[in-house]
Amino acid sequence: MSFLRRRKATKAEENNSEDPQIDTASKNDDVVDNDNRKQKLIQKHESEESSRRRRRSSSRRWNCVDSCCWFIGCICSIWWFLLFMYNAMPASFPQYVTEAITGPLPDPPGVKLRKEGLTAQHPVVFVPGIVTGGLELWEGHQCAEGLFRRRLWGGTFGELYRRPLCWVEHMSLDNETGLDSPGIRVRPVSGLVAADYFAPGYFVWAVLIANLARIGYEEKTMYMAAYDWRLSFQNTEVRDQTLSRIKSNVELMVATNGGKKVVVIPHSMGVIYFLHFMKWVEAPAPMGGGGGSNWCAKHIKAVMNIGAPFLGVPKAVSGLFSIEAKDVAVARAFAPGVLDKDVFGLQTLQHMMRMTRTWDSTMSMIPKGGDTIWGGLDWSPEGYFNCSAKKLKNNDTNTADQNGKGGLGSTKRVNYGRIISFGKDVAEIHSSEIEMVDFRDAFKGSNLINATKCDVWTEYHEMGIEGVKAIADYKVYTAGSILDLLHYVAPKMMARGDAHFSYGIADNLDDPKYQHYKYWSNPLETKLPNAPDMEIYSMYGVGVPTERAYVYKLTPPSECYIPFQIDTSAEGGSEDSCLKGGVFSVDGDETVPVLSSGFMCAKGWRGKTRFNPSGIHTYIREYNHAPPANLLEGRGTQSGAHVDIMGNFALIEDIIRVAAGATGEDLGGDRVYSDIFKWSENINLQL
């Protein structure tokens, strides 16, 4: 069309049209730039997405950690707040809350008796038992740097957690001498603080001390006879002159209190330690203290024994044989790898066995009197017994004599005389059905049960498989054969024990051999002092299931293992059965059976006997166990348990009355809930 004219090209188009190669290259560059931009955008997008994913993952992770930190922080804050409130509140507030829930609380014994007009009269001496007294370090190896005069035993036990192997090394004694290992000196803490609390908040003597203080007692009229409870009794004198210190302090207290005699209050193993002291103080030097035959008569008003293991405790046997008691056996069965094997570099049971077997004092509590006291294969003094799940109740009409006779009634017979039985069936069948293979002369074998290298040595490492089999093939052990068993499995330990302790019954107490100190802690092989005006009390809890006999089994072989253990699968089959978790229980205070605590005061020392020629008056005071009604009562004021009884108001009241001048007759004489007198009559002992 003529009216359409061609548009005039621009100068740039003219230039491009003039160079077609340049035009093509420019287009290619634009494509490349676009691709690069797209690639950068993709990379940027991927980078941002990756960053977002990392932020989300980090956010989730930190949220979890943050939650844990907040939770721990809240717990700590609440704890510190409650601790602050506890320290800020008036001292009477806890009592106010308790009374609001349970009703008015009775006055503590010290307050009650002060209102009655009682005041401090006779000085008081406390004798702590095994493990309850504090021990501190005076010299140690390099691993104990910085622990000079710090408590290794008692208190917080902080060093046990921080350096356990070093702690075990310093708490162990020399396996040959029973004294200090070279380069180590651990000594008892002195003063009332030695055993007032075992650990923070866990009282031993503190409640009794506080109540005595309410009627006027103070440190000059109270003395804690602290000693190293790991040592044999005579070695406490050899190493530390502890017996001499007790003698001097008692004499000083009598002299500075107008000639008033002391009231001695031993607890647990402290009971037989003080029995040893009473013979030592009268015996001539150098073996004894040289005080003369009338020293006790001049200086002691009364000995008030609490939880006395006069005749030993079966729990000591299981402890020496397999480092077990009921609770340990349950833990060992529940998690065997934790205690039996090398977990976290520490073979727990082996280290504990190695350590406790160097403590000679543990052998002082092996049952004394053999089968005559504890029963044989087919009889025991306790005879038939009904173990209620809620409360131990003995059957008044069914007891067995030494011939194993007695009415069956509604209770099942328990062979308490069989302290160790290999298998539940062996514990229950008649002895005529048991095939026993004597182990005493058996070859221990050359195929060692612990052939591998172990971190810690025990005497089981030197026993062969044949020796272990011989022990199990004997099947059942009574108090008479327990000593042979321990001599077989732990000859080094028992060699030291034989030098310091004896477990028999004296035929003739006038025999000069009984003047040796190894007999002084056995009430069946020694005489009480010539002190007819002195009084002896046996004060203990009843109504608590107490270990009396055990069902054992062989442990499956493993590295460095202990070959025997309590068979926790052995059950009696009913709620009221005396057999639970491989342990036969009887009436007692959870540690010491009634038979051990009560027999000597019920029969052995009652009246004038060959064991009590001067006729010292003896009294039994039993305290029926009642657990705390609620948590606010703590460990309770009516407990009969072995240690908790130290806070029992009735027991504290009896002690304060005697310390203030009362006699056993003033207290009402014997107070008995168990069948200790019936069981004592079942024991045929020459008096």
Side-chain angles (χ1 to χ4, degrees):
M1 294 182 185
S2 58
F3 59 88
L4 295 175
R5 292 188 296 177
R6 186 184 181 102
R7 184 178 61 84
K8 185 178 180 178
T10 64
K11 188 177 288 187
E13 289 174 341
E14 290 176 354
N15 292 337
N16 290 339
S17 62
E18 290 176 359
D19 192 354
Q21 291 181 350
I22 293 175
D23 185 59
T24 303
S26 177
K27 290 180 179 179
N28 290 337
D29 289 342
D30 290 342
V31 171
V32 170
D33 289 342
N34 289 335
D35 290 342
N36 288 339
R37 282 195 295 271
K38 289 179 181 179
Q39 186 67 27
K40 289 179 179 179
L41 288 173
I42 292 171
Q43 290 177 351
K44 182 179 180 181
H45 177 73
E46 291 177 348
S47 176
E48 290 175 351
E49 184 66 25
S50 175
S51 178
R52 282 194 294 270
R53 283 197 299 268
R54 284 197 301 270
R55 284 197 298 270
R56 284 196 298 268
S57 175
S58 176
S59 177
R60 285 195 297 269
R61 183 169 65 252
W62 282 104
N63 279 338
C64 179
V65 172
D66 195 49
S67 298
C68 292
C69 290
W70 272 103
F71 176 75
I72 295 173
C74 288
I75 295 296
C76 292
S77 299
I78 293 171
W79 167 254
W80 285 110
F81 175 74
L82 293 175
L83 189 63
F84 170 78
M85 292 298 295
Y86 177 80
N87 286 280
M89 71 176 64
S92 60
F93 185 75
Q95 181 178 348
Y96 173 79
V97 174
T98 303
E99 291 182 347
I101 297 174
T102 63
L105 294 177
D107 286 334
V111 174
K112 173 186 173 182
L113 298 179
R114 184 179 60 189
K115 291 178 180 178
E116 294 182 12
L118 271 65
T119 58
Q121 295 294 327
H122 295 272
V124 172
V125 177
F126 309 117
V127 186
I130 192 170
V131 310
T132 55
L135 300 175
E136 59 187 16
L137 182 70
W138 282 79
E139 180 184 2
H141 294 161
Q142 186 174 1
C143 67
E145 188 70 27
L147 298 182
F148 176 67
R149 293 205 65 197
R150 294 277 297 275
R151 286 201 184 196
L152 293 186
W153 189 271
T156 61
F157 286 91
E159 301 311 317
L160 170 60
Y161 310 124
R162 284 192 283 268
R163 27 190 159 182
L165 293 180
C166 183
W167 180 85
V168 169
E169 178 185 5
H170 286 75
M171 283 299 298
S172 300
L173 296 169
D174 187 271
N175 199 45
E176 300 293 335
T177 65
L179 297 169
D180 293 320
S181 297
I184 294 176
R185 283 187 294 151
V186 176
R187 297 294 181 264
V189 177
S190 59
L192 295 178
V193 297
D196 55 351
Y197 287 90
F198 174 66
Y202 192 89
F203 70 83
V204 182
W205 295 91
V207 177
L208 176 58
I209 291 171
N211 278 278
L212 284 165
R214 290 183 181 274
I215 69 164
Y217 279 91
E218 49 190 295
E219 197 154 9
K220 68 181 181 181
T221 51
M222 293 189 288
Y223 167 59
M224 183 71 72
Y227 61 99
D228 190 337
W229 43 261
R230 301 172 301 161
L231 300 174
S232 68
F233 301 159
Q234 192 68 9
N235 274 345
T236 63
E237 174 66 15
V238 171
R239 195 194 72 179
D240 300 333
Q241 293 75 54
T242 303
L243 299 175
S244 295
R245 295 172 188 271
I246 296 174
K247 177 176 180 284
S248 298
N249 276 283
V250 169
E251 291 172 345
L252 177 63
M253 294 174 81
V254 171
T256 56
N257 283 276
K260 294 176 181 176
K261 302 176 186 178
V262 299
V263 172
V264 184
I265 311 169
H267 173 244
S268 190
M269 191 186 76
V271 169
I272 52 179
Y273 181 71
F274 194 75
L275 189 64
H276 179 99
F277 169 82
M278 288 194 293
K279 294 301 296 183
W280 173 88
V281 75
E282 294 185 341
M287 187 180 296
S293 60
N294 60 350
W295 190 94
C296 291
K298 288 182 177 180
H299 295 90
I300 301 176
K301 174 189 187 295
V303 183
M304 308 190 76
N305 303 291
I306 305 174
F310 284 121
L311 302 177
V313 290
K315 185 182 280 189
V317 175
S318 63
L320 293 171
F321 187 51
S322 63
I323 198 64
E324 288 180 297
K326 185 176 182 178
D327 296 338
V328 175
V330 172
R332 191 178 180 190
F334 180 75
V338 174
L339 296 179
D340 287 288
K341 297 178 182 177
D342 190 357
V343 179
F344 306 120
L346 181 62
Q347 295 164 341
T348 309
L349 282 180
Q350 289 83 347
H351 280 287
M352 291 300 294
M353 175 171 282
R354 168 69 179 85
M355 179 177 69
T356 56
R357 281 191 174 183
T358 66
W359 298 349
D360 289 353
S361 62
T362 58
M363 289 179 280
S364 70
M365 292 186 289
I366 294 174
K368 303 175 178 69
D371 295 359
T372 301
I373 299 294
W374 294 94
L377 292 176
D378 292 312
W379 83 277
S380 63
E382 297 94 336
Y384 298 90
F385 202 77
N386 178 27
C387 300
S388 170
K390 294 184 179 179
K391 180 180 177 182
L392 284 173
K393 294 181 180 179
N394 32 289
N395 192 302
D396 291 335
T397 59
N398 299 320
T399 54
D401 59 20
Q402 293 191 9
N403 296 318
K405 298 178 181 179
L408 182 60
S410 61
T411 57
K412 185 176 180 180
R413 180 173 185 166
V414 179
N415 295 323
Y416 287 121
R418 305 178 189 184
I419 295 179
I420 288 180
S421 303
F422 277 89
K424 177 186 173 184
D425 56 336
V426 173
E428 295 177 342
I429 63 177
H430 194 271
S431 62
S432 61
E433 302 176 50
I434 303 175
E435 296 182 6
M436 302 168 65
V437 180
D438 199 352
F439 69 96
R440 293 173 178 86
D441 297 322
F443 176 55
K444 289 189 177 182
S446 55
N447 298 319
L448 300 182
I449 61 172
N450 286 313
T452 57
K453 184 178 179 180
C454 300
D455 292 341
V456 58
W457 174 88
T458 70
E459 293 193 69
Y460 282 130
H461 295 171
E462 299 180 357
M463 181 177 292
I465 297 173
E466 296 86 346
V468 172
K469 185 176 182 300
I471 291 171
D473 287 344
Y474 193 71
K475 292 190 172 58
V476 61
Y477 296 85
T478 65
S481 54
I482 282 293
L483 293 174
D484 294 329
L485 170 66
L486 293 176
H487 276 97
Y488 188 83
V489 300
K492 288 187 177 181
M493 176 189 75
M494 291 303 292
R496 298 194 318 271
D498 288 343
H500 290 276
F501 304 106
S502 182
Y503 312 97
I505 300 174
D507 294 326
N508 178 15
L509 286 169
D510 294 324
D511 190 323
K513 77 174 186 178
Y514 292 111
Q515 297 174 8
H516 192 274
Y517 60 76
K518 67 181 288 185
Y519 301 101
W520 292 347
S521 60
N522 182 357
L524 301 174
E525 293 182 303
T526 190
K527 298 178 183 179
L528 288 178
N530 182 24
D533 295 331
M534 191 172 81
E535 296 179 328
I536 294 181
Y537 298 78
S538 186
M539 314 168 77
Y540 54 88
V542 296
V544 188
T546 304
E547 297 174 36
R548 177 69 164 81
Y550 304 89
V551 176
Y552 267 84
K553 67 177 181 180
L554 294 179
T555 306
S558 62
E559 290 186 4
C560 306
Y561 76 120
I562 295 172
F564 312 104
Q565 69 179 100
I566 295 173
D567 185 1
T568 55
S569 66
E571 297 285 345
S574 67
E575 184 181 0
D576 293 344
S577 173
C578 294
L579 175 61
K580 293 185 182 297
V583 178
F584 286 100
S585 297
V586 75
D587 198 2
D589 68 359
E590 197 173 36
T591 297
V592 185
V594 166
L595 188 68
S596 181
S597 294
F599 173 77
M600 292 308 298
C601 284
K603 184 175 181 178
W605 290 333
R606 185 59 59 116
K608 284 191 177 183
T609 69
R610 65 190 184 107
F611 305 108
N612 181 16
S614 66
I616 294 174
H617 293 287
T618 62
Y619 300 96
I620 293 178
R621 303 288 290 177
E622 293 184 346
Y623 303 88
N624 214 1
H625 175 70
N630 54 65
L631 292 176
L632 294 174
E633 286 191 16
R635 288 153 62 193
T637 60
Q638 301 179 64
S639 176
H642 189 64
V643 178
D644 293 353
I645 197 174
M646 302 294 284
N648 186 298
F649 278 11
L651 176 138
I652 294 173
E653 182 175 334
D654 285 348
I655 291 174
I656 293 178
R657 289 188 182 279
V658 172
T663 65
E665 293 300 324
D666 296 331
L667 297 182
D670 298 321
R671 181 176 61 194
V672 177
Y673 297 100
S674 72
D675 265 352
I676 182 58
F677 286 107
K678 288 186 178 181
W679 296 341
S680 297
E681 288 305 312
N682 290 332
I683 295 175
N684 184 15
L685 178 67
Q686 177 190 352
L687 299 177

